[in-house]
C-alpha cells in the first residue's frame, strides 16, 4: 500500500479545511495534503446553475467571512428584498403580504455565488487536494499520525479533522478517543443534514414586475422559504429556497408537482416557464447526513469545549462549523474554526 508523508494532513476540503490550508500557506507552510471523500471541493457549499444549494447568506457581524472575502478580493451584495413578500400561515386563510424595512439592510450574498469563495481558496492548493479519498482510521505511530484511506496510507506530524463531528465518528481512532468525546461527536447536530433546497432559473424576473420580492415564507405547504436568487450583475434570474421536509418521502415527480403548484398559487403561472429546476436533499448526501436524520427547528448548540482540545499527544485537532464556539453552524464559524485549527498545529501562527 502506498504511503504518503507530509507535515500536515487536513481531512475535508470544505470551507473550514480550505481556510486552514489558506492560513498554513500564508505562513509559508506548504507541506500538507487535503483528503476529501467527495469528487469535488466545497463540502456544504455547492452551486448549480448559479444557485447556491448549500451555504448562502451572511450578515454584517460575520467578520470572518468579510475578512476572508477581502483577502480573496471577492465582492458581496445584498439579498434582493424590494417589493411585497408573501406569508402563508394557514390553509384556511388567504396569504398575507408584508414589506421589509428599507432601513434594515438585508443579508449579504457572495458575488459569483458562495462557490466563488471556495474556488479562490482551493485554486492555489489544488495540487495537494486528493479527491475521492475516504479516511477510515487515524492511528498514533511513534511521533506521527497514520491516516488510512481507501487510496493508501498517509502520515503526518499533525492532522486536522474538519468534517462534521457526527460523520467523523465513522473514522476509527487508535488509541480510541474517550467515551465523552465520542458521545459529544455523535450528539452534535450536523448543519444542513436535514435540509431540502430547490432552485429554479427563469428568463425574466417576473415576480419583480408584480412588485414581489421573491420572498415567500410558508408556515404550511410545500415550500417553507423562498428568495430571489438573481446574480449581482442582474442578468440571470432565479428563485431558491427550502422545502417542507414532509415532501421527502414522495416520488420525485409528485414532489415537483406539489412544489410548482404551490408556487404558481402564490407567485403566478409564470413559475411553470422555468428554464432549469434543481433539488438538493442533503439528507441523501452520505458525506453530510446519516441514517438517523433529525430535524432541528431551534438553533442547535455548537462549539462544545471538547472540540477546543487537541488529542493524540496534541497531534489531532477537530475543526468545522459545528466545532466553532463563534457562530457555529454558519460560514463564519467554519472560517473561524479553520483559522484556529491552523494556529493550533502550526507554531508560526500565533493566536
Amino acid at each position: 500500500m502506498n504511503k504518503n508523508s507530509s507535515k500536515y494532513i487536513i481531512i475535508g476540503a470544505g470551507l473550514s479545511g480550505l481556510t486552514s490550508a489558506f492560513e498554513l500557506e500564508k505562513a509559508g507552510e506548504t507541506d500538507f495534503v487535503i483528503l476529501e471523500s467527495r469528487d469535488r471541493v466545497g463540502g456544504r457549499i455547492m452551486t448549480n446553475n448559479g444557485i447556491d444549494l448549500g451555504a448562502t447568506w451572511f450578515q454584517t457581524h460575520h467578520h470572518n467571512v468579510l475578512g476572508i472575502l477581502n483577502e480573496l478580493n471577492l465582492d458581496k451584495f445584498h439579498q434582493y428584498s424590494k417589493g411585497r413578500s408573501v406569508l402563508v400561515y394557514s390553509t384556511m386563510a388567504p396569504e398575507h403580504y408584508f414589506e421589509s424595512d428599507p432601513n434594515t439592510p438585508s443579508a449579504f450574498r457572495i458575488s459569483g455565488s458562495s462557490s466563488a469563495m471556495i474556488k479562490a481558496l482551493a485554486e492555489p492548493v489544488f495540487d495537494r487536494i486528493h479527491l475521492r479519498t475516504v479516511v477510515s482510521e487515524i492511528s498514533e505511530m511513534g511521533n506521527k499520525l497514520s491516516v488510512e484511506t481507501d487510496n493508501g496510507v498517509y502520515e503526518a506530524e499533525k492532522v486536522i479533522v474538519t468534517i462534521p463531528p457526527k460523520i467523523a465518528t465513522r473514522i476509527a481512532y487508535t488509541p480510541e478517543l474517550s467515551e465523552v468525546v465520542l458521545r459529544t461527536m455523535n450528539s452534535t447536530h450536523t448543519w444542513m443534514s436535514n435540509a431540502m433546497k430547490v432552485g429554479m432559473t427563469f428568463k425574466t424576473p417576473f415576480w419583480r414586475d408584480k412588485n414581489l420580492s421573491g420572498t415567500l415564507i410558508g408556515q404550511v405547504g410545500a415550500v417553507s422559504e423562498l428568495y430571489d436568487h438573481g446574480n449581482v450583475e442582474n442578468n440571470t434570474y432565479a428563485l431558491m429556497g427550502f422545502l417542507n421536509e414532509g415532501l421527502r418521502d414522495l416520488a420525485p415527480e409528485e414532489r415537483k408537482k406539489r412544489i410548482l403548484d404551490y408556487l404558481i398559487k402564490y407567485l403566478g403561472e409564470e413559475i411553470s416557464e422555468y428554464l432549469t429546476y434543481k433539488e438538493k436533499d442533503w439528507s441523501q448526501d452520505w458525506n453530510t447526513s446519516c441514517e438517523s436524520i433529525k430535524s432541528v427547528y431551534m438553533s442547535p448548540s455548537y462549539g462544545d469545549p471538547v472540540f477546543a482540545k487537541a488529542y493524540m499527544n496534541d497531534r489531532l485537532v477537530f475543526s468545522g462549523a459545528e466545532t466553532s464556539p463563534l457562530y457555529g453552524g454558519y460560514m463564519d464559524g467554519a472560517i473561524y474554526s479553520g483559522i484556529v485549527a491552523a494556529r493550533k498545529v502550526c507554531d508560526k501562527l500565533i493566536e
Side-chain angles (χ1 to χ4, degrees), residues 195-332:
M196 297 172 70
K197 292 187 83 172
V198 65
M200 306 167 69
T201 61
F202 298 90
K203 189 175 181 181
T204 64
F206 66 86
W207 54 95
R208 297 184 191 176
D209 298 335
K210 300 178 179 184
N211 192 33
L212 293 173
S213 66
T215 298
L216 182 151
I217 306 299
Q219 295 178 346
V220 294
V223 179
S224 54
E225 295 178 45
L226 192 78
Y227 303 96
D228 184 301
H229 204 67
N231 63 357
V232 66
E233 295 85 5
N234 197 29
N235 58 14
T236 66
Y237 312 107
L239 294 168
M240 178 275 286
F242 294 87
L243 300 176
N244 183 321
E245 290 183 53
L247 301 182
R248 178 168 284 127
D249 298 329
L250 296 179
E253 284 307 310
E254 175 61 21
R255 181 169 57 244
K256 182 176 180 180
K257 181 181 185 303
R258 289 204 195 179
I259 293 162
L260 294 176
D261 287 348
Y262 186 83
L263 295 178
I264 285 169
K265 180 176 180 180
Y266 296 110
L267 297 180
E269 289 288 342
E270 298 94 333
I271 285 288
S272 61
E273 297 167 15
Y274 63 85
L275 300 175
T276 64
Y277 177 98
K278 178 72 175 178
E279 294 174 18
K280 172 65 176 175
D281 184 352
W282 286 94
S283 77
Q284 302 303 303
D285 188 321
W286 185 243
N287 295 289
T288 297
S289 199
C290 53
E291 294 101 330
S292 56
I293 63 165
K294 181 182 173 186
S295 299
V296 174
Y297 299 107
M298 301 288 286
S299 292
S301 176
Y302 289 132
D304 191 282
V306 303
F307 300 125
K309 299 174 183 176
Y311 298 91
M312 293 187 172
N313 289 313
D314 293 339
R315 299 189 182 280
L316 177 70
V317 170
F318 289 100
S319 179
E322 289 82 6
T323 71
S324 178
L326 181 72
Y327 301 122
Y330 291 88
M331 288 192 286
D332 202 77

Side-chain angles (χ1 to χ4, degrees), residues 58-286:
F58 62 98
Q59 307 279 352
T60 52
H61 55 269
H62 289 149
H63 298 298
N64 291 292
V65 178
L66 293 168
I68 212 160
L69 291 180
N70 187 51
E71 287 192 75
L72 298 172
N73 293 314
L74 293 174
D75 293 325
K76 64 184 184 301
F77 67 106
H78 280 294
Q79 167 67 42
Y80 186 89
S81 60
K82 295 176 187 172
R84 298 188 304 161
S85 299
V86 184
L87 170 63
V88 183
Y89 61 91
S90 170
T91 55
M92 308 298 289
E95 65 271 27
H96 172 74
Y97 293 96
F98 65 96
E99 293 201 32
S100 300
D101 183 349
N103 298 314
T104 304
S106 58
F108 287 116
R109 288 170 49 208
I110 298 170
S111 300
S113 81
S114 298
S115 290
M117 175 172 57
I118 293 297
K119 184 181 178 186
L121 287 170
E123 218 156 24
V125 299
F126 209 82
D127 60 326
R128 281 162 278 167
I129 300 175
H130 298 202
L131 299 175
R132 303 180 189 86
T133 301
V134 180
V135 173
S136 56
E137 186 172 0
I138 300 173
S139 311
E140 277 192 271
M141 301 283 286
N143 62 352
K144 291 194 173 185
L145 292 183
S146 173
V147 178
E148 193 165 320
T149 79
D150 57 350
N151 281 331
V153 178
Y154 295 76
E155 61 179 35
E157 294 175 24
K158 303 281 181 76
V159 174
I160 303 173
V161 176
T162 79
I163 60 180
K166 189 184 279 281
I167 305 301
T169 60
R170 295 173 187 161
I171 299 171
Y173 300 88
T174 307
E176 194 171 17
L177 298 173
S178 75
E179 188 183 334
V180 171
V181 174
L182 289 171
R183 188 168 61 242
T184 303
M185 291 168 70
N186 238 323
S187 63
T188 299
H189 175 73
T190 303
W191 170 77
M192 287 295 284
S193 62
N194 56 296
M196 297 172 70
K197 292 187 83 172
V198 65
M200 306 167 69
T201 61
F202 298 90
K203 189 175 181 181
T204 64
F206 66 86
W207 54 95
R208 297 184 191 176
D209 298 335
K210 300 178 179 184
N211 192 33
L212 293 173
S213 66
T215 298
L216 182 151
I217 306 299
Q219 295 178 346
V220 294
V223 179
S224 54
E225 295 178 45
L226 192 78
Y227 303 96
D228 184 301
H229 204 67
N231 63 357
V232 66
E233 295 85 5
N234 197 29
N235 58 14
T236 66
Y237 312 107
L239 294 168
M240 178 275 286
F242 294 87
L243 300 176
N244 183 321
E245 290 183 53
L247 301 182
R248 178 168 284 127
D249 298 329
L250 296 179
E253 284 307 310
E254 175 61 21
R255 181 169 57 244
K256 182 176 180 180
K257 181 181 185 303
R258 289 204 195 179
I259 293 162
L260 294 176
D261 287 348
Y262 186 83
L263 295 178
I264 285 169
K265 180 176 180 180
Y266 296 110
L267 297 180
E269 289 288 342
E270 298 94 333
I271 285 288
S272 61
E273 297 167 15
Y274 63 85
L275 300 175
T276 64
Y277 177 98
K278 178 72 175 178
E279 294 174 18
K280 172 65 176 175
D281 184 352
W282 286 94
S283 77
Q284 302 303 303
D285 188 321
W286 185 243

